[in-house]
Amino acid sequence: MERIELDEAMLQGQAEIWRYLYSFADSMALKSAVELRIADIIHSNGGPATLSQIASCINDSFTSPNITALARIMRLLVRKKIFTIHPPSDGGDPLYDLTHSSRWLLYDSEQTLVPMVLMENHPWQMAPWHYFSQCVREGGIAFKKAHGCETWDLASRNPDFNKLFNDGLACTSKFITSAILSGYKQGFNSIGSLVDVGGGTGGLISEIVKVYPHIKGVNFDLPHVVSTAPAYNGVSHIGGDMFHAIPNTDAIIMKWILHDWTDEECIKILRNCKKAIPRENGKVIIVEIILKEDGSGVFDDIGFVMDLVMFAHTNGKERTEAEWKKILEGGGFSHYKIINIPALVSIIEAYPDAQ
């Protein structure tokens, strides 16, 4: 009996390794569905669609879509519950429909993860993952080993990568911004001016100012980033370097910025934040993942995956509350509180220490 149980456990272990070994197939199938706009085709159909209907909308003037290949991709995505399938009432071809998951794959939706799917699965972003073991053996940054430069350098010299990167970040900004505005309603009331440090193309600060028009908004990022930012009412774009100086303001917000950097670099950024805000009533609003090693929340597993994304693409990391506390104290912000919002991230509201 013991031998049978051992064999079953070993068999289960083997199956687990097979599953992890080929887990990239899930993301590649997902990417192909996005590139083919399958979710949009079903959505535009006004209801469930057959494979033939989906294929007929995959426009290519030179070739006809391979329905067999499409069926194989959809079979996996149905099993993963990205799409659903059910037989029609008249006994015809099976019908494919959207799920709550595939609704995040609609191109023109306000709540879409399409640019992130395309960015994270692009060869530029996948290449650094192959250097993890080398980084363990000899140190260094995976992205630099793969491309000969760091993420920000490649973005500054390669407009295509810069657009891919900015589009990916901008799409997440939309729904995380919505979560911030719903979960931090009282936090912006007393702010006269707000600088979004590392604000990209200005999506977050523009939405905050739209809801709180009394706030003077500043979108602060590297010059090559703000040069592509659109104009927004109540928002000015300023190019600069957060490691050198940050514009003076009542408060600072940083969304998914500090996780890109080492503890020492984060402390330097926070010290520059402290110089830019008033000693009394000044604050820094940090929007980041807080790792919970025993967490069972809907996003808790994703936090640990995101930590390896940081390992692949930057020199930063995701942090536990204890790790956040350490860098906040190093940057001159011993007092803070955590505000949970309906998102992958939380808000850390930090207040400067008295001089």
Side-chain angles (χ1 to χ4, degrees), residues 80-158:
K80 295 296 180 178
K81 297 181 172 56
I82 303 299
F83 295 98
T84 187
I85 186 173
H86 50 86
S89 56
D90 59 3
D93 293 334
L95 293 166
Y96 294 85
D97 204 356
L98 301 177
T99 65
H100 290 301
S101 297
S102 47
R103 290 189 183 279
W104 287 93
L105 304 180
L106 295 169
Y107 270 74
D108 296 326
S109 172
E110 279 297 306
Q111 295 188 324
T112 181
L113 278 166
V114 163
M116 278 294 284
V117 172
L118 296 176
M119 178 184 81
E120 292 294 355
N121 291 289
H122 192 283
W124 280 326
Q125 296 288 64
M126 294 298 292
W129 292 82
H130 295 279
Y131 290 83
F132 275 20
S133 59
Q134 189 175 334
C135 288
V136 170
R137 288 192 178 101
E138 60 192 42
I141 301 171
F143 195 93
K144 191 171 184 178
K145 289 180 183 295
H147 297 294
C149 64
E150 294 190 35
T151 300
W152 330 112
D153 297 325
L154 183 61
S156 67
R157 69 180 68 159
N158 185 323

Side-chain angles (χ1 to χ4, degrees), residues 8-286:
E8 288 178 352
M10 287 297 290
L11 198 64
Q12 181 63 34
Q14 181 192 149
E16 287 293 304
I17 295 302
W18 279 112
R19 182 165 66 86
Y20 292 127
L21 170 64
Y22 287 116
S23 60
F24 68 88
D26 296 345
S27 58
M28 291 300 102
L30 189 69
K31 180 188 179 187
S32 67
V34 167
E35 292 174 330
L36 295 169
R37 296 179 177 249
I38 291 172
D40 290 278
I41 291 169
I42 295 172
H43 182 68
S44 298
N45 191 58
T50 65
L51 273 182
S52 296
Q53 289 174 318
I54 294 169
S56 69
C57 296
I58 299 174
N59 295 321
D60 191 320
S61 57
F62 301 103
T63 61
S64 298
N66 185 328
I67 294 183
T68 301
L70 177 62
R72 293 166 69 182
I73 292 169
M74 291 298 287
R75 182 168 58 185
L76 176 64
L77 293 174
V78 166
R79 184 163 181 89
K80 295 296 180 178
K81 297 181 172 56
I82 303 299
F83 295 98
T84 187
I85 186 173
H86 50 86
S89 56
D90 59 3
D93 293 334
L95 293 166
Y96 294 85
D97 204 356
L98 301 177
T99 65
H100 290 301
S101 297
S102 47
R103 290 189 183 279
W104 287 93
L105 304 180
L106 295 169
Y107 270 74
D108 296 326
S109 172
E110 279 297 306
Q111 295 188 324
T112 181
L113 278 166
V114 163
M116 278 294 284
V117 172
L118 296 176
M119 178 184 81
E120 292 294 355
N121 291 289
H122 192 283
W124 280 326
Q125 296 288 64
M126 294 298 292
W129 292 82
H130 295 279
Y131 290 83
F132 275 20
S133 59
Q134 189 175 334
C135 288
V136 170
R137 288 192 178 101
E138 60 192 42
I141 301 171
F143 195 93
K144 191 171 184 178
K145 289 180 183 295
H147 297 294
C149 64
E150 294 190 35
T151 300
W152 330 112
D153 297 325
L154 183 61
S156 67
R157 69 180 68 159
N158 185 323
D160 291 335
F161 178 75
N162 189 47
K163 185 177 188 309
L164 183 77
F165 188 77
N166 285 337
D167 287 351
L169 298 187
C171 89
T172 61
S173 181
K174 289 181 181 178
F175 54 84
I176 290 179
T177 296
S178 177
I180 292 169
L181 290 171
S182 66
Y184 191 63
K185 291 180 180 178
Q186 305 304 316
F188 297 111
N189 286 338
S190 60
I191 296 174
S193 59
L194 179 66
V195 172
D196 185 357
V197 172
T201 53
L204 172 61
I205 191 69
S206 66
E207 290 301 314
I208 291 172
V209 170
K210 193 183 297 182
V211 177
Y212 300 90
H214 69 277
I215 294 177
K216 178 184 177 183
V218 173
N219 179 48
F220 181 70
D221 211 314
L222 294 168
H224 75 269
V225 176
V226 298
S227 67
T228 65
Y232 298 106
N233 289 332
V235 176
S236 57
H237 299 290
I238 297 178
D241 187 338
M242 63 188 172
F243 287 103
H244 293 157
I246 293 169
N248 291 335
T249 181
D250 292 340
I252 287 168
I253 188 166
M254 290 186 287
K255 176 178 66 63
W256 264 343
I257 301 301
L258 297 181
H259 73 164
D260 290 330
W261 305 97
T262 65
D263 289 357
E264 293 76 16
E265 289 165 328
C266 286
I267 288 171
K268 188 172 183 180
I269 294 167
L270 286 168
R271 286 175 179 170
N272 284 338
C273 289
K274 187 178 179 184
K275 293 175 185 175
I277 60 176
R279 295 180 188 177
E280 294 185 9
N281 301 320
K283 63 182 175 180
V284 174
I285 305 158
I286 299 167

Side-chain angles (χ1 to χ4, degrees), residues 291-307:
L291 293 179
K292 298 170 185 164
E293 294 184 357
D294 298 321
S296 58
V298 65
F299 291 115
D300 283 339
D301 281 351
I302 307 302
F304 293 94
V305 174
M306 289 295 293
D307 183 48

